[in-house]
Amino acid sequence: MNPTDFFNKKNGFPFNAIPETQFNPEHIHDLKQMIKQYHSVLNDDFWGDIHGLRTSKRKGIEIIPIEIWEDEENLYLIIVAPGLQNKSHAKIYFHNDQALTLKIKTHSLKPVQSTQLITSDLPQNYYEREIFLKKSVLTSSYSSSYEKGVLTYTFNKVNDELEIPFDF
């Protein structure tokens, strides 16, 4: 079937089905059908193929990649976060000694001599991630560093051993 055959059918293209200038409930129904037909063809997939004309924002899950390491005394939270201006653009908020929320604010990577941003695929907003640590850590004392796009938090582990004093 030729794609234009759809529009040449008697009921395929509502303008052909509405010869009168007066609108009645049947004509309103035909207009609704026309709008549905346009939306079926001119949808987000269509506009997404034309550069810069997407009609709605892309919906996807943004992931902050992490790794968690440990040694005898510390737990290390490693976050891949290229493009941070400094480590103060990342914040952690503890819910308890094993659960925290990581929030990162990303920015554009503007060269000093540039004056106007033309286009960017880089995200420029806040990202948030809930993280569960398998070991308890001291929430009041931790350190952080940022080097080559990798943010590292170092937490002191809490000694989970239950100490029961014995009086003999």
Side-chain angles (χ1 to χ4, degrees):
M1 177 176 169
N2 184 350
T4 58
D5 289 345
F6 170 78
F7 295 104
N8 294 328
K9 287 186 196 175
K10 181 178 179 187
N11 293 328
F13 191 71
F15 283 132
N16 294 336
I18 306 176
E20 304 166 10
T21 58
Q22 299 279 327
F23 284 98
N24 61 35
E26 185 178 313
H27 292 139
I28 300 277
H29 175 72
D30 289 341
L31 282 174
K32 286 181 181 179
Q33 288 301 108
M34 178 186 68
I35 291 169
K36 285 181 183 179
Q37 291 170 2
Y38 282 138
H39 282 292
S40 70
V41 175
L42 304 176
N43 57 21
D44 281 348
D45 291 335
F46 172 82
W47 293 112
D49 292 337
I50 298 174
H51 181 70
L53 295 177
R54 185 170 294 277
T55 58
S56 67
K57 294 183 179 179
R58 294 178 190 162
K59 294 179 182 173
I61 299 172
E62 302 293 342
I63 296 177
I64 302 171
I66 66 165
E67 286 187 337
I68 300 174
W69 292 80
E70 73 174 317
D71 61 19
E72 292 295 321
E73 298 176 4
N74 298 314
L75 199 76
Y76 303 94
L77 175 59
I78 313 298
I79 303 143
V80 178
L84 285 182
Q85 292 177 347
N86 58 50
K87 64 183 181 179
S88 69
H89 289 111
K91 303 279 185 201
I92 56 173
Y93 303 94
F94 286 98
H95 302 287
N96 57 42
D97 61 355
Q98 288 186 299
L100 61 94
T101 298
L102 170 69
K103 291 184 180 184
I104 294 180
K105 170 68 175 148
T106 58
H107 297 278
S108 180
L109 304 174
K110 180 186 180 291
V112 176
Q113 66 276 14
S114 68
T115 58
Q116 183 178 0
L117 177 66
I118 296 172
T119 185
S120 175
D121 289 334
L122 298 174
Q124 297 179 26
N125 53 6
Y126 284 98
Y127 291 97
E128 187 172 311
R129 180 170 176 175
E130 300 286 326
I131 299 171
F132 179 75
L133 306 171
K134 300 225 183 234
K135 308 271 178 145
S136 296
V137 297
L138 291 175
T139 60
S140 59
S141 166
Y142 60 89
S143 64
S144 64
S145 64
Y146 182 68
E147 185 178 332
K148 296 181 182 178
V150 177
L151 180 62
T152 303
Y153 286 97
T154 304
F155 305 106
N156 295 323
K157 290 196 293 188
V158 173
N159 187 358
D160 287 338
E161 294 178 17
L162 183 61
E163 295 182 19
I164 301 174
F166 291 102
D167 292 334
F168 292 105

